[in-house]
Every structure is written in structure tokens, then in C-alpha cells.
Amino acid sequence: MPQKAKLGQNFLANRNARTRIVEALGDISEKTVVEIGPGKAAITELLAQKAQRLIAVELDRELAAGLRHRFAESNVEVVEQDILTVDLASFRDGEEKLFVVGNLPYYITSDILLHMFRYHDAILRAVVMMQREVADRVAAAPGSRDYGVLSATTQLYAHVEKLMTLPPGAFSPPPQVHSSVLRLTFAPRFAELAVDAEGFIAFLRQCFAQKRKTLLNNLRVAGFESANIAQAAQVAAISLQARAEALSLEEMARLYRALHGA
Ligand SMILES: C[S@@+](CC[C@H](N)C(=O)[O-])C[C@H]1O[C@@H](n2cnc3c(N)ncnc32)[C@H](O)[C@@H]1O
């Protein structure tokens, strides 16, 4: 476990924000909700009142003990574990879809997003708070400065909405950054784009490897032959002088399929 000071413990003190986060999940009265990093129960308290079943995953031993005590004999199950090692699908009752919520520990935000994507089959919606700059990257549209591999990957798995931004003073102790809440509605696009998830995401990483470079350069560095790249770009109707950040997911998928002979 990282040292306590490093667990990203900035507790939400703004009551209105807690309510809005819980409401953004929609009707959870018959749902199983997984809360990531419940801490001192700022959001947990409201969730427990509204959800049918709440699984609260907290890594900090003292905080987990406090939560177990506070929510004894309730609909809340406290799981003392690193969220990145949790088998989210194990919380499902049959084929039900989970709702995920959390004021995330910011030091592992991207890892948590990727962990959720691994369990995309098991999740319907996630409402998560993160550092504003990271939220801006996740939600960025192609062609914008912030668009990168994290935006593209997230948008392959989910529809992203930015709901609100909070100043440092909304937390105790205040972090050094602003925070934003995103809602992710899971709707994977791989079938529609006619690509396989693993191969296509690996391809995106190659295309974005050096953001300042053109697609042609990044693909050459990744080991593709110039002639093959040129031919695929022609088939896919894409300029090789473009940078990856300028291309939509549809265009990226066309290029991927053309390069892989699909
Ligand atoms: C930003 S705080 C949010 C606390 C609370 N939900 C709130 O809004 O006040 C992040 C919480 O995540 C917990 N945490 C940190 N790393 C974790 C991990 N790897 N797995 C689960 N919980 C973690 C911290 O102990 C802390 O309680």
C-alpha cells in the first residue's frame, strides 16, 4: 500500500456536490452500486439510502474499519482492497449491470478507468470525479489539443459527459487542483467500427506514441513499411500528414482495417 499521504485522500466537503453526484447515477433503487474509495462516507451515506446494494471498496485499513462500524447491518458491504485488484464482475447478480461511482484517488485515475474498461460487460454507468485536466483529456473531442490516447480509448467504451467542476475549497484538505465529475455511459463501439478491441487499442497507442509527429512517422516507428502505410491511407482516404489527434475514431478504424487487410 502506498503511504497514507499518497492515497489521494481529499474528502468531499460540499453537500450540494455529493447530492449531484448521486443523482447523476439515475434511479439506483434496484441496482448494485460499487463505490471506489468511500473514505469517510461523504457520498456513501447518500448512496446507502438510495441503492439496493452498495459495495464500498476502500484500501485504507482505518477508514475501512470506520465504514464497517458505521454501516453494520445495512445494505453496505465494505471491501478492504486495492480497487485495481478487484474483480468487479464478481459483484453482479446474474447478468445485472453495475453502477460505479467515486471521488477517485487521483494518483491512479487512468489505471482505474482502464480497470473499468476491462469489465465493460458488467457496467452500465459510472460517475467519477478526477483532476480537471484529466477529465478534460478524457472528454476531449478529436481535433482538440487535449485529445489523445486516453480520450480515444475511453470513447471507444463509453459515451462521456462532463457534469461539473469543483474548486479545491470543496474538499478537506484542499487538493492543489480543480476537480471535475464525468458520467460514462458504457456502450462499446468495437462491433460498429468492425475492429477487435485489443488490436485496435494497441494500434491507437502506436498512432499517438509521439503526439507532435505525423501519423506516417509514428506508424513507421511502429514498424510498418512506408509503402503499406501509403496504400492503407489511400484506401482509408486519410492524409498521412495528419496527426493522430485530428482523426475521428471512424477514420482511425478505417486506417487500422486497411493496414491489417480487413
Ligand atoms: C479523494 S478520496 C475520496 C473519499 C470520499 N469518497 C470523499 O469523497 O470524501 C479517495 C479515497 O480512495 C481511497 N483509496 C486510495 N487508493 C485506493 C485504492 N487503490 N483502492 C481503493 N481505495 C483507494 C483513499 O483512502 C480515499 O478514501
Side-chain angles (χ1 to χ4, degrees):
M1 200 201 289
Q3 290 170 350
K4 257 186 123 132
K6 296 196 175 145
L7 283 179
Q9 295 180 342
N10 300 96
F11 301 105
L12 182 58
N14 182 313
R15 187 155 272 285
N16 180 38
R18 301 178 201 179
T19 309
R20 285 176 64 191
I21 288 170
V22 175
E23 282 176 356
L25 284 169
D27 181 3
I28 50 171
S29 58
E30 293 179 1
K31 306 292 180 191
T32 299
V33 178
V34 179
E35 187 184 1
I36 302 172
K40 295 183 181 171
I43 307 169
T44 322
E45 200 181 23
L46 291 180
L47 290 169
Q49 289 165 15
K50 298 204 180 244
Q52 182 175 66
R53 177 178 173 223
L54 176 61
I55 294 150
V57 182
E58 174 57 60
L59 180 60
D60 184 297
R61 180 169 301 165
E62 278 172 41
L63 290 176
L67 290 159
R68 270 195 294 270
H69 180 71
R70 182 159 168 186
F71 293 102
E73 291 176 40
S74 72
N75 56 343
V76 183
E77 296 158 47
V78 179
V79 175
E80 187 183 321
Q81 200 174 326
D82 177 351
I83 185 64
L84 299 178
T85 66
V86 168
D87 174 2
L88 292 171
S90 69
F91 300 138
R92 297 170 93 181
D93 182 8
E95 290 297 297
E96 81 163 316
K97 298 270 189 182
L98 302 170
F99 284 56
V100 177
V101 64
N103 172 13
L104 301 181
Y106 294 178
Y107 70 108
I108 46 170
T109 298
S110 315
D111 291 336
I112 292 175
L113 291 173
L114 296 178
H115 192 65
M116 286 199 289
F117 301 153
R118 235 168 267 140
Y119 291 97
H120 63 87
D121 273 352
I123 304 173
L124 182 66
R125 187 172 296 153
V127 175
V128 279
M129 175 124 64
M130 61 193 71
Q131 181 177 339
R132 177 174 60 183
E133 289 74 12
V134 179
D136 286 346
R137 285 201 279 130
V138 171
S144 70
R145 191 176 46 101
D146 283 336
Y147 189 75
V149 74
L150 186 63
S151 339
T153 307
T154 306
Q155 292 166 31
L156 274 171
Y157 284 102
H159 172 65
V160 181
E161 295 162 277
K162 190 168 167 184
L163 302 183
M164 66 174 136
T165 295
L166 294 170
F171 304 84
S172 170
Q176 287 178 337
V177 293
H178 278 63
S179 302
S180 297
V181 177
L182 295 183
R183 174 163 54 197
L184 309 184
T185 303
F186 282 67
R189 298 190 57 195
F190 301 102
E192 165 209 336
L193 294 170
V195 294
D196 64 296
E198 209 180 313
F200 188 53
I201 289 172
F203 177 69
L204 289 176
R205 289 211 190 90
Q206 293 174 328
C207 293
F208 281 102
Q210 298 229 29
K211 268 197 91 176
R212 308 302 314 151
K213 286 195 170 175
T214 60
L215 262 179
L216 178 63
N217 275 329
N218 274 322
L219 289 172
R220 269 205 207 123
V221 171
F224 291 97
E225 295 290 335
S226 298
N228 293 345
I229 306 171
Q231 197 188 3
Q234 199 176 21
V235 171
I238 281 158
S239 159
L240 277 178
Q241 293 318 310
R243 296 204 178 100
E245 70 199 43
L247 265 58
S248 66
L249 285 172
E250 287 81 358
E251 290 171 317
M252 278 291 192
R254 280 211 308 271
L255 183 62
Y256 173 74
R257 292 197 310 263
L259 261 176
H260 293 81

